[in-house]
Structures are given as C-alpha cells and as structure tokens.
Amino acid sequence: ETGVTQTPRHLVMGMTNKKSLKCEQHLGHNAMYWYKQSAKKPLELMFVYNFKEQTENNSVPSRFSPECPNSSHLFLHLHTLQPEDSALYLCASRLLSNAIYFGPGTRLTVL
Amino acid sequence: GDSVTQMEGPVTLSEEAFLTINCTYTATGYPSLFWYVQYPGEGLQLLLKATKADDKGSNKGFEATYRKETTSFHLEKGSVQVSDSAVYFCALSDSRYGGSQGNLIFGKGTKLSVKP
C-alpha cells in the first residue's frame, strides 16, 4: 500500500465508449503521473503534472485526455480507443525530488 | 538522452540461491538511481535507491551500489525466496533537471522466478 489509489482496477470498454480513470493521493505530493505498461514494452511515461500544471505530454494521442483538478487527484479521460491501447495504466505521485510512488494500476481492455 | 539497460529475463533460480540483476545506465549528469519491484497484479513499488556515487541502497535483503566508474547499479540478494518472484525495474532520474528533480526513466524490467 503506497498511498496512491486508482479506480477502477479493471475496465473493459468498446472502441466507441467514453470512460475515465481516477487516481488519488493524500500524501502531500506535488507531482502526479500517468504511465502506460504494455506487454513486452518498457514503461511509457504519458503525462506529468506538477502543482496541477501539465509539464509533460509524451506525444500521447488525443484520445487520451488528462485532467488534474487539484494536487491530490488525477484523471485520464478515454475516448474512441483502439484495441492496441489495452494495457495497465499506472498512476504515480512524487514529492519534490524523492522517489515516485505508484498506484496499483487499472487493467484496461479495449474490445 | 539518458537511458537504462537491464539484463534480459526471465531469470529462474532455486530458493536460497544468490541473485544478481545487472543494470547499467547512460546519463549526461548525475542521476539518482532506483530499483522498483512489481509483484503479479500490482503496481510498481520502490525497493531501494541511491542518490550519489558509492551510495549503497538496501531493503528486504536486497542491495545495490551506485558505481559511477562503471555506470552500473546491479541488484543483489544473498538468498532469494519464493516470495521474491516478481519483475524488477531499474530506473534513473532524468539528469536534464540536475539529477534529482527529473522524471524517472525505466529499464525494460527483469522477471525473476524462484522455485522451491
């Protein structure tokens, strides 16, 4: 238990659906991240928010839309995804220059 | 740019065997180095870290020493248990931001299986 929670833990959606992933931390961390973990590929950084401001978008397709309403919550809005977007989506947070702490992930399957 | 290279897996060991997972890095600055572990069905957990050359990180019987001369941060454990079966990731902090502020760059991960 790292103090970073994610919901839902599992999600199955069709290509025309719209869904959102939620991440929450009450650790007082200032930075929050979305990572994508696919089979046989390195962990991919998607988005970074620092003090609620997006500081990095790692060339992510626009069908993924992040939202960070405050420093404790992070969302990933999903729209018209493709089957190749099926993966484990990991949220993480960090305080200043310390280590990154990960949530348990959302296992996403796009049919 | 900065990068991390880990030994390819999977690694299969018998209980109580000695473990080494190699990790080397390329960085233009002075990064901090990390090992993360991912147990089946879970997210990544920080296992240990080192922030400067010659530092040794340790936790749960695992150790890794930051070797600047060989740009390495190999993970070791003297006697593995079945419960150590997991995927292990080496990572460094992007040195573009002075070594400690940047985002983490991960290796591809090494899967360890420990048999009873």
Side-chain angles (χ1 to χ4, degrees):
Chain A
E1 183 62 48
T2 63
V4 181
T5 59
Q6 289 187 245
T7 54
R9 292 293 308 273
H10 300 272
L11 178 62
V12 179
M13 59 187 288
M15 290 191 285
T16 57
N17 293 157
K18 289 184 182 180
K19 297 285 184 183
S20 295
L21 310 184
K22 180 181 176 182
C23 176
E24 193 169 344
Q25 58 90 9
H26 295 288
L27 302 169
H29 290 179
N30 57 284
M32 295 189 78
Y33 305 75
W34 281 115
Y35 281 86
K36 177 182 178 182
Q37 188 177 34
S38 308
K40 301 180 182 178
K41 285 178 107 176
L43 211 56
E44 298 173 68
L45 178 64
M46 300 175 73
F47 301 104
V48 183
Y49 279 81
N50 225 323
F51 296 104
K52 302 189 302 176
E53 299 297 320
Q54 188 180 125
T55 55
E56 191 148 346
N57 175 339
N58 206 16
S59 303
V60 181
S62 59
R63 58 186 184 269
F64 295 92
S65 174
E67 179 190 0
C68 188
N70 55 61
S71 57
S72 298
H73 294 86
L74 184 66
F75 295 89
L76 187 63
H77 303 300
L78 314 173
H79 174 54
T80 59
L81 296 192
Q82 306 298 311
E84 59 264 28
D85 296 323
S86 299
L88 182 67
Y89 288 85
L90 293 163
C91 175
S93 69
R94 187 183 198 188
L95 177 63
L96 301 177
S97 61
N98 293 325
I100 287 178
Y101 289 86
F102 286 83
T106 296
R107 173 67 63 187
L108 174 67
T109 303
V110 182
L111 302 176
Chain B
D2 295 0
S3 65
V4 174
T5 302
Q6 284 183 240
M7 62 186 287
E8 294 280 333
V11 174
T12 303
L13 296 173
S14 298
E15 210 165 20
E16 300 183 2
F18 184 85
L19 168 71
T20 300
I21 300 179
N22 290 338
C23 172
T24 56
Y25 67 90
T26 303
T28 53
Y30 301 94
S32 295
L33 301 174
F34 306 83
W35 276 101
Y36 281 82
V37 58
Q38 185 176 32
Y39 297 103
E42 298 182 16
L44 279 71
Q45 300 175 28
L46 177 66
L47 182 59
L48 53 84
K49 68 175 184 179
T51 58
K52 61 183 188 298
D54 300 325
D55 266 5
K56 177 186 281 188
S58 61
N59 185 27
K60 300 181 182 180
F62 291 90
E63 292 183 340
T65 301
Y66 189 146
R67 301 279 189 207
K68 191 169 183 296
E69 63 276 13
T70 54
T71 62
S72 65
F73 192 56
H74 304 321
L75 181 69
E76 296 182 336
K77 186 175 185 182
S79 176
V80 293
Q81 305 301 312
V82 172
S83 58
D84 294 326
S85 299
V87 181
Y88 293 82
F89 293 88
C90 184
L92 62 80
S93 57
D94 188 337
S95 61
R96 288 180 296 170
Y97 303 94
S100 61
Q101 300 288 341
N103 302 318
L104 293 192
I105 296 169
F106 286 87
K108 293 183 179 181
T110 302
K111 183 175 182 179
L112 170 66
S113 294
V114 181
K115 306 298 183 186

